[in-house]
Amino acid sequence: SYNPSLLSEAKFLEYSNLSDKLHLREAINNILIPRIVGSGNHTIVRQYIEQSLQGLGWHVELDSFHDIAPIKGQLHFHNIIATLNPKAERFLVLACHYDSKYVPGVEFLGATDSAVPCAMLLNLAHVLQKQLQRFKETPLSLMLLFFDGEEAFQEWGPKDSIYGARHLAKKWQQERKLNRIDMLVLLDLLGAPDPAFYSFFANTESWYMRLQSVETRLAGLQLLERYASSGVVPRDPGRYFQSQAMRSSYIEDDHIPFLQRNVPILHIIPVPFPSVWHTPDDNASVIDYATTDNLALIFRLFALEYLMGNDEAK
């Protein structure tokens, strides 16, 4: 199976120095508004994501559909699918959801859930614009996927949750497109300090270990900022990607319909969830920018290492 070389020391250093922290903050601020499916704000955020990627030369399409939701009734959903090379044979897919939870009587912003993950993907496309250029021609390329309707409107269940992911997985199965996905890397609940990630799936453990290895290399080069943690917890407090697997934990999220159809999954979600999960406190004040910048850097290097594979990693 596919086993790309590690980035050489020179390339690793060169790509580690690429960043635009101001852009990441701007992207978060643009997305961090209540964006419930069907609202005007939801359209604003969707168009911001579309236009950001189109402006960088990505091919952007919408998977739009109607579905019935409790409380809200018929809603119009739009998954955003951005590709560098829509004709590629294989894709590394980085994904998140861009809708925010409907909480009656409360202004829920969803900073970690999932404004920060969305902004990280836009920032990756922006920072790596030059490096990603060649993947407009290659058979292995990159896809950024922004799911709509991840959140339940009443109570999480098989028919009231992950509306966009359920629709797209089924559609791509019918169109025989699922086998073009090398791996779906789903980012969720990111931005709070001291996250701990685990490997959930045996068939993507080697890729999880690549994320770990990127983290270790960056730490060794002292390229991660404020890289330490306070909590006394039964895990390695100094690192994000933990060394133990967590197979029993079945976290329901946008990856499930793809997992059920045998798409390899890397689920990047902290365990435990941030303490502000699904509360009004999941707002700008919870975002730890050192952690956010560090994770964004790790994901950028992981994506480059994966895509550049055997030709430029040396």
Side-chain angles (χ1 to χ4, degrees):
S1 66
Y2 183 59
N3 186 25
S5 320
L6 295 174
L7 290 169
S8 67
E9 200 70 16
K11 287 285 175 199
F12 193 88
L13 275 170
E14 180 191 332
Y15 300 147
S16 301
N17 283 319
L18 304 172
S19 79
D20 189 336
K21 294 176 181 179
L22 190 62
H23 172 272
L24 182 58
R25 282 155 182 70
E26 281 171 8
I28 290 171
N29 291 338
N30 277 305
I31 298 167
L32 197 57
I33 56 177
R35 49 199 182 282
I36 299 159
V37 181
S39 67
N41 274 358
H42 181 270
T43 304
I44 289 169
V45 169
R46 187 189 83 226
Q47 289 173 342
Y48 169 70
I49 292 170
E50 287 180 77
Q51 287 160 6
S52 298
L53 291 164
Q54 282 164 341
L56 293 167
W58 287 64
H59 175 86
V60 180
E61 58 182 288
L62 292 180
D63 165 43
S64 301
F65 63 99
H66 288 92
D67 204 343
I68 307 286
I71 303 169
K72 294 283 184 181
Q74 173 134 307
L75 286 172
H76 203 185
F77 296 89
H78 312 269
N79 294 314
I80 307 167
I81 303 157
T83 47
L84 282 166
N85 176 11
K87 297 190 171 70
E89 295 159 25
R90 295 162 49 205
F91 292 101
L92 171 65
V93 181
L94 305 181
C96 60
H97 75 89
Y98 75 96
D99 61 306
S100 65
K101 185 165 177 58
Y102 167 67
V103 187
V106 170
E107 185 178 74
F108 179 75
L109 291 167
T112 69
D113 193 9
S114 269
V116 168
C118 288
M120 284 177 169
L121 297 189
L122 295 181
N123 182 251
L124 179 147
H126 165 77
V127 170
L128 302 181
Q129 188 179 1
K130 186 166 153 271
Q131 288 69 29
L132 292 174
Q133 199 61 29
R134 51 196 267 225
F135 298 103
K136 291 180 174 175
E137 312 288 330
T138 48
L140 167 62
S141 195
L142 182 62
M143 177 188 293
L144 302 180
L145 188 48
F146 300 83
F147 289 116
D148 199 2
E150 188 266 347
E151 299 288 5
F153 291 91
Q154 193 164 17
E155 188 178 357
W156 186 281
K159 291 221 165 5
D160 185 18
S161 65
I162 58 170
Y163 291 85
R166 283 187 287 123
H167 181 266
L168 193 59
K170 190 174 169 185
K171 177 173 182 259
W172 278 352
Q173 182 179 32
Q174 289 163 349
E175 294 172 356
R176 300 181 186 245
K177 285 185 176 167
L178 288 178
N179 61 357
R180 292 166 72 188
I181 302 177
D182 268 20
M183 177 166 55
L184 176 71
V185 183
L186 180 63
L187 311 183
D188 202 359
L189 305 185
L190 306 179
D194 298 340
F197 305 114
Y198 296 88
S199 171
F200 297 107
F201 305 107
N203 67 339
T204 54
E205 186 130 291
S206 62
W207 299 113
Y208 175 87
M209 288 167 77
R210 289 286 186 119
L211 282 165
Q212 222 183 20
S213 129
V214 169
E215 179 185 3
T216 303
R217 286 179 84 174
L218 286 167
L221 293 162
Q222 296 186 317
L223 292 170
L224 296 174
E225 77 187 270
R226 292 219 317 276
Y227 182 67
S229 146
S230 46
V232 182
V233 279
R235 58 182 180 87
D236 185 342
R239 62 174 314 138
Y240 306 133
F241 292 91
Q242 300 297 307
S243 290
Q244 60 269 51
M246 198 176 276
R247 296 280 188 260
S248 57
S249 183
Y250 194 76
I251 300 173
E252 299 211 3
D253 205 341
D254 284 313
H255 65 295
I256 296 293
F258 294 88
L259 179 69
Q260 290 165 341
R261 290 166 174 85
N262 298 318
V263 173
I265 306 292
L266 253 187
H267 194 197
I268 311 301
I269 190 168
V271 178
F273 289 176
S275 58
V276 297
W277 180 67
H278 283 186
T279 72
D281 295 327
D282 190 0
N283 57 34
S285 69
V286 79
I287 301 171
D288 179 78
Y289 276 103
T291 303
T292 300
D293 290 330
N294 288 344
L295 290 176
L297 174 57
I298 291 169
F299 300 141
R300 290 197 299 272
L301 289 166
F302 172 83
L304 283 177
E305 189 165 87
Y306 191 96
L307 292 167
M308 291 183 164
N310 299 313
D311 56 325
E312 216 188 276
K314 298 180 180 62

